[in-house]
Amino acid sequence: MDSSSSAPAGASARMSQPFAPPQQNIPRIQRALLDWFAVNQRRLPWRVHYTPYEVWVSEVMLQQTQMERGVDYFNRWMARFPDIAALAAADEEAVLRQWEGLGYYSRARHLLAAARKIMAEHGGAFPSDLEAIRALPGVGPYTAGAIASIAFGEKLPCVDANVERVIARVFDVDSPVKQDPAAGVVRRWALRLVPEGLAREHNQAMMELGALVCRKKPRCEVCPLAVFCSSRHLGIVEQRPVPGKKAVIKPVQAVTGVLRRAGRVFVQKRPPSGVWGNLWEFPGGRVEPDESPEQAVVREFMEETAFTVRVAATYGIIRHGYTTYRLTLHCFGLELADAAQSALPQLTAATESRWARPEELDGLAMPAAHRKLADRLFAVAPSAAHTP
DNA sequence: CAGACGTGGGA
DNA sequence: TTCCCAAGTCT
């Protein structure tokens, strides 16, 4: 552990080249990276054609998402929406159902909106101009650069969390990478590293290196850039990148109820903005202080639908983790307290509702926790299960 | 600029 | 079980 000995950390265990400062060895870094990528890149469905559409969809899909999961979603997406025109012509309902389980549903809504914009404003051809790409809904600075460089070969860097990590280590960036002095430094080095005419390969190589080798727990033994790595030379790889502030996870108690009537269940469609925008759910909400889950679900139904309901069954608890909360969802079976009351709700938290046959739920996009509950109650026949 | 926006998997 | 993610964008 003691790195104060004369040899740089890691240099003693095996034969190694002397440290070569990265600032003076850009061409060697570029070559080492490309050579490494040529041999070690994973075979992925979006690394075959490099059409703008495929690059775009894969980049959006992989935002905040693990590669493993992205592959299945990507293949199913391309089978269902093979090109921009097919996507533009799709119903949002179908698009969200394809996306179900991936989270951050605004990505799917933006993808659809952007496809329609491309049809309307670019004659159906994906724009190659960086500004036009950036103007598409859901395309921010990262994704615009990724598409421009990977699909169109523009000499631009892609700076995602992987690349930030690689650069923070190789160039020993010693302040939080997400914030400004460091973010600018990272962008500058990222740009200087892009070789002429090879932006596609280089940018993917940087991200792939971050994903496979320069991970949070780095594998310096197999890193093609080890000899150029400043933080490794200093024995502080584990201290790079410097982290920002971390989120506080707060526990939340919530309820949801499956209201049944004549063999059907009540579901409602959430508003377009906010969490789970345009997805279908069983009504519910938070448990207030000094309130039991049973009381909460009755109150929430009254507030959201004007139905007076009664708890008829307890369906247990579903635990679901989020970025900023840890949800404990108490689930109930409900019936109308007065069987004679109208089956027409007065919606206050939804844009539409329906009394659905249980099989119908399979065609509706629902949040993961609600899908979990639906599956638990109405076990889907294996042949019908195309749930992610 | 900080906070919202999801999820299943690995340590 | 709990913690921490993983190829960001929008407001």
Side-chain angles (χ1 to χ4, degrees):
Chain A
M1 277 301 288
D2 188 339
S3 60
S4 62
S5 54
S6 56
S12 55
R14 60 189 176 82
M15 290 278 278
S16 74
Q17 306 296 311
F19 172 59
Q23 295 83 352
Q24 286 99 256
N25 288 280
I26 299 298
R28 290 178 60 197
I29 290 176
Q30 292 169 331
R31 199 170 315 117
L33 196 56
L34 290 169
D35 289 347
W36 174 85
F37 184 65
V39 174
N40 294 285
Q41 67 171 296
R42 289 169 290 188
R43 302 182 94 80
L44 296 167
W46 50 84
R47 285 182 180 161
V48 180
H49 313 294
Y50 290 106
T51 65
Y53 178 60
E54 289 186 331
V55 171
W56 170 44
V57 171
S58 68
E59 288 298 339
V60 172
M61 225 168 236
L62 268 40
Q63 289 169 12
Q64 307 290 290
T65 301
Q66 310 206 296
M67 176 81 71
E68 284 291 314
R69 308 194 57 222
V71 172
D72 288 339
Y73 278 91
F74 180 85
N75 288 330
R76 283 192 294 115
W77 183 278
M78 286 303 158
R80 181 75 183 269
F81 311 119
D83 52 37
I84 296 171
L87 175 57
D91 290 337
E92 188 186 79
E93 195 73 53
V95 171
L96 287 171
R97 187 63 184 88
Q98 281 289 301
W99 200 267
E100 185 187 291
L102 264 185
Y104 289 129
Y105 296 93
S106 65
R107 292 182 294 170
R109 296 192 303 269
H110 286 325
L111 233 21
L112 175 58
R116 290 176 176 167
K117 181 170 182 173
I118 293 169
M119 295 306 290
E121 299 180 11
H122 301 284
F126 201 98
S128 57
D129 173 63
L130 183 64
E131 289 313 305
I133 297 172
R134 177 71 179 79
L136 297 171
V139 175
Y142 163 76
T143 304
I147 296 170
S149 64
I150 296 174
F152 296 104
E154 271 203 58
K155 190 175 181 298
L156 293 169
C158 290
V159 182
D160 69 351
N162 285 314
V163 174
E164 283 175 353
R165 194 165 52 250
V166 171
I167 291 181
R169 284 173 173 158
V170 170
F171 293 92
D172 184 30
V173 178
D174 63 3
S175 63
V177 283
K178 300 284 183 191
Q179 284 148 246
D180 221 344
V185 172
V186 168
R187 261 200 314 279
R188 247 192 33 240
W189 283 118
L191 176 58
R192 285 201 49 190
L193 281 171
V194 183
E196 200 64 50
L198 292 167
R200 168 186 294 173
E201 292 76 12
H202 170 84
N203 283 336
Q204 293 191 91
M206 287 286 285
M207 293 190 281
E208 193 83 330
L209 187 73
L212 299 181
V213 176
C214 197
R215 315 195 297 189
K216 178 152 65 188
K217 185 95 177 139
R219 298 174 167 174
C220 301
E221 332 78 64
V222 297
C223 182
L225 305 188
V227 67
F228 308 107
C229 186
S230 296
S231 64
R232 179 167 184 270
H233 178 62
L234 297 169
I236 55 170
V237 175
E238 309 265 4
Q239 275 92 265
R240 298 289 177 270
V242 178
K245 72 293 172 223
K246 64 174 181 185
V248 182
I249 310 289
K250 49 173 63 171
V252 171
Q253 299 287 321
V255 293
T256 191
V258 181
L259 175 60
R260 307 200 196 214
R261 179 175 176 278
R264 293 173 179 257
V265 296
F266 183 83
V267 288
Q268 62 180 10
K269 189 174 186 176
R270 299 179 57 89
S273 64
V275 67
W276 300 320
N278 284 353
L279 269 63
W280 291 83
E281 66 170 7
F282 303 114
R286 293 194 180 201
V287 179
E288 300 292 344
D290 307 319
E291 187 182 43
S292 71
E294 287 81 356
Q295 292 171 323
V297 75
V298 171
R299 175 184 53 73
E300 288 286 348
F301 260 81
M302 179 56 72
E303 290 174 3
E304 296 191 348
T305 66
F307 286 143
T308 304
V309 301
R310 155 169 74 221
V311 173
T314 300
Y315 294 147
I317 286 171
I318 290 176
R319 289 194 170 76
H320 203 77
Y322 293 82
T323 309
T324 47
Y325 351 40
R326 186 173 54 252
L327 185 68
T328 302
L329 186 64
H330 301 262
C331 307
F332 298 100
L334 307 173
E335 56 193 20
L336 292 173
D338 172 8
Q341 78 181 280
S342 166
L344 247 48
Q346 291 167 38
L347 302 177
T348 61
T351 54
E352 63 180 297
S353 69
R354 83 172 63 154
W355 289 96
R357 286 174 288 104
E359 319 85 76
E360 258 181 89
L361 298 179
D362 194 47
L364 268 28
M366 303 177 78
H370 290 240
R371 175 65 65 194
K372 220 178 285 185
L373 175 58
D375 286 348
R376 185 186 286 184
L377 295 179
F378 316 108
V380 201
S383 58
H386 60 272
T387 304

